[in-house]
Amino acid sequence: MKEIMEQNKQIEVIDFRKIVKILWGHRKAYIKVVPIVFVVACAYILCFPRYYDAEVTLAPETDMPSTGGSLSSLASSFGINLGDIQTTDAISPLLYPDLMDDNGFVAALFPIRVKSMDGEIDCNYYEYMDKHQEEPFWAIPMKWLNELITPKDDIKGGGKFNPYVLSRHQQSIVKAMREHIGIGVDKKTGVIGISVRAQDKLICKTLADSVKDHLQLFITNYRTNKARIDEQYYSKLASDAKHDYDKARQMYATFADANMNIALESYKAKLTDLENEMQLKYNTYTTLMAQYQAAKAKVQERTPAFTVIKGASVPVKPAGPKRMIFVAAMCLFAVIVQSAYYLIKEYK
């Protein structure tokens, strides 16, 4: 019993009344520090420009073989879509987000025409990212100094633009675009999500629609590439066959008109040969035309259909920075730091 009483004496009890009394004694310090932190936090966060987010979700048509019902259900319970694994396309829909890593795909977004809500900005996307991005005032001297120190490596020459041979400045623009544009795919449903960030709400919406159209065009071109090559191939063969048929028909007509009143057997044999050759050319032409029409139909068959689940709209409120939350967090942090300092000092 005596040991238990000694242990109870050693247990320290937190006296909240004493803590409140200590902190209340430094209330004047709180009144001085918190407003200063509030003003500094406001001045700091107001230097950061506001930005807006827009999202688009669409479901593309996929050409995938059917899988067994029980096996597909079992795989889906583990988050695996067997349809994506067994797709006949070389590029699975799960790889669409990786397209933003390709300079060619990103550089194709350079010519997109954007216009701000107030009409002051009207240019292409590359110029907008290069010359119309607001930054904190302290970042401007650093940017100017970086440009001054960094060696000039712009690629000169009047050749055709190559997205895989970019200057250092162009690479920085491409990197900024990758940070502002995101593509994601739901592994279970296959729904494609596109998110875009910009400092103007109308430009944000315009970019979201443009990226959606660009992605749809890429998927369509990829899915129909083989069929379009076949269509061009059969179109050339049909055109050549038509030319050969017209030439054979012209030779047959010319020979028949020139020897209309001649009854020689050699003439009849020559005329029969020309007629047979003309018929052969005609049969070849009609066969190739049928294959050409089938190839055209195959292009349409391979062209995927897209269903827009959620279209891009002009955002009403900015996505960030969260100014009120930041200021409140800074004031709370200042109170916590002050309180900890006073309590440690008192107990010491």
Side-chain angles (χ1 to χ4, degrees), residues 61 63 217 219-235 290-306:
E61 179 188 21
D63 182 16
L217 180 62
I219 297 174
T220 301
N221 290 338
Y222 165 70
R223 294 283 304 278
T224 60
N225 184 47
K226 178 63 168 58
R228 285 185 287 107
I229 292 176
D230 292 343
E231 179 190 4
Q232 295 174 2
Y233 174 71
Y234 285 116
S235 175
Q291 293 177 338
Y292 171 62
Q293 294 298 331
K296 288 181 65 176
K298 190 67 175 179
V299 173
Q300 180 62 32
E301 179 185 349
R302 293 288 297 169
T303 301
F306 296 89

Side-chain angles (χ1 to χ4, degrees), residues 113-131:
R113 204 72 190 174
V114 296
K115 185 176 182 180
S116 61
M117 184 67 76
D118 54 12
E120 294 183 0
I121 301 175
D122 188 0
C123 59
N124 58 43
Y125 186 36
Y126 180 87
E127 184 179 350
Y128 170 72
M129 293 296 296
D130 186 24
K131 300 180 180 179

Side-chain angles (χ1 to χ4, degrees), residues 11 138 153 200 203-205 253 274-275 332 343:
I11 297 176
W138 60 82
D153 62 345
D200 183 85
I203 292 178
C204 187
K205 192 261 184 190
L274 291 175
E275 183 179 2
L332 180 61
L343 292 177

Side-chain angles (χ1 to χ4, degrees), residues 169-204:
H169 180 67
Q170 291 171 338
Q171 285 283 10
S172 64
I173 300 296
V174 170
K175 180 180 178 182
M177 289 182 178
R178 290 193 177 106
E179 294 175 352
H180 291 178
I181 300 174
I183 301 176
V185 178
D186 191 312
K187 295 182 179 180
K188 292 184 178 181
T189 62
V191 174
I192 301 174
I194 301 173
S195 60
V196 177
R197 175 167 294 179
Q199 294 180 0
D200 183 85
K201 56 179 69 176
L202 182 58
I203 292 178
C204 187

Side-chain angles (χ1 to χ4, degrees), residues 176-313:
M177 289 182 178
R178 290 193 177 106
E179 294 175 352
H180 291 178
I181 300 174
I183 301 176
V185 178
D186 191 312
K187 295 182 179 180
K188 292 184 178 181
T189 62
V191 174
I192 301 174
I194 301 173
S195 60
V196 177
R197 175 167 294 179
Q199 294 180 0
D200 183 85
K201 56 179 69 176
L202 182 58
I203 292 178
C204 187
K205 192 261 184 190
T206 303
L207 288 176
D209 289 334
S210 300
V211 173
K212 172 183 69 69
D213 296 338
H214 184 60
L215 181 61
Q216 288 180 351
L217 180 62
F218 174 85
I219 297 174
T220 301
N221 290 338
Y222 165 70
R223 294 283 304 278
T224 60
N225 184 47
K226 178 63 168 58
R228 285 185 287 107
I229 292 176
D230 292 343
E231 179 190 4
Q232 295 174 2
Y233 174 71
Y234 285 116
S235 175
K236 184 179 183 304
L237 290 181
S239 178
D240 294 342
K242 178 69 164 56
H243 176 74
D244 294 342
Y245 167 66
D246 291 339
K247 185 178 179 180
R249 185 179 60 177
Q250 185 67 29
M251 290 178 61
Y252 173 79
T254 301
F255 185 82
D257 292 342
N259 301 277
M260 184 177 300
N261 297 323
I262 299 177
L264 297 175
E265 292 297 329
S266 60
Y267 155 74
K268 293 181 180 179
K270 178 66 174 177
L271 186 64
T272 302
D273 292 341
L274 291 175
E275 183 179 2
N276 292 337
E277 184 177 0
M278 180 185 66
Q279 187 64 38
L280 180 63
K281 298 292 186 184
Y282 177 75
N283 293 338
T284 303
Y285 169 65
T286 54
T287 302
L288 289 175
M289 277 300 297
Q291 293 177 338
Y292 171 62
Q293 294 298 331
K296 288 181 65 176
K298 190 67 175 179
V299 173
Q300 180 62 32
E301 179 185 349
R302 293 288 297 169
T303 301
F306 296 89
T307 302
V308 178
I309 300 176
K310 176 185 177 183
S313 58

